[in-house]
Amino acid sequence: MKETDKRLFSISQAIIAARRDCGMSQEQLGAMIGMSDHSYISKVESGEEIPNLARLLDIADALDVNVGQLLKGISKASSKTQGSDSESDGQ
């Protein structure tokens, strides 16, 4: 899996976890952020759709979490990849 894919996957997983913690359906979350396309959240959670920063902030607000909580997996996924890269470079 590419580094970008791993980072997007971690955001998707964080959104799923936060939404479930709130007891909210995908449709409810979509409505709260003003998305008339009921499949938008499903696409974001599956990685088919990449939310822009403004939309990510809307999602975080709707889920009553800090946007940093949704992004925290990025640095972990990135660190794992960088550690693997430096090992493969012989460093």
Side-chain angles (χ1 to χ4, degrees), residues 17-75:
R19 180 180 57 76
R20 289 181 178 163
D21 286 347
C22 290
M24 196 181 299
S25 70
Q26 291 176 337
E27 292 80 13
Q28 290 169 320
L29 178 55
M32 287 183 75
I33 64 168
M35 294 302 296
S36 58
D37 178 5
H38 296 292
S39 66
Y40 177 76
I41 297 299
S42 175
K43 290 176 182 174
V44 168
E45 290 182 353
S46 69
E48 293 176 48
E49 184 81 30
I50 302 169
N52 62 31
L53 182 57
R55 188 66 67 201
L56 196 58
L57 289 167
D58 290 342
I59 292 170
D61 287 345
L63 295 173
D64 196 29
V65 298
N66 183 301
V67 74
Q69 288 177 258
L70 301 179
L71 298 174
K72 70 181 177 183
I74 289 179
S75 60

Side-chain angles (χ1 to χ4, degrees), residues 3 15 17 42 47-48 62 85:
E3 182 179 341
I15 292 171
S42 175
E48 293 176 48
D85 289 347

Side-chain angles (χ1 to χ4, degrees), residues 1-17:
M1 186 181 285
K2 291 191 240 175
E3 182 179 341
T4 304
D5 294 341
K6 289 178 184 176
R7 290 183 289 183
L8 294 175
F9 180 75
S10 67
I11 294 171
S12 298
Q13 294 305 301
I15 292 171
I16 292 168

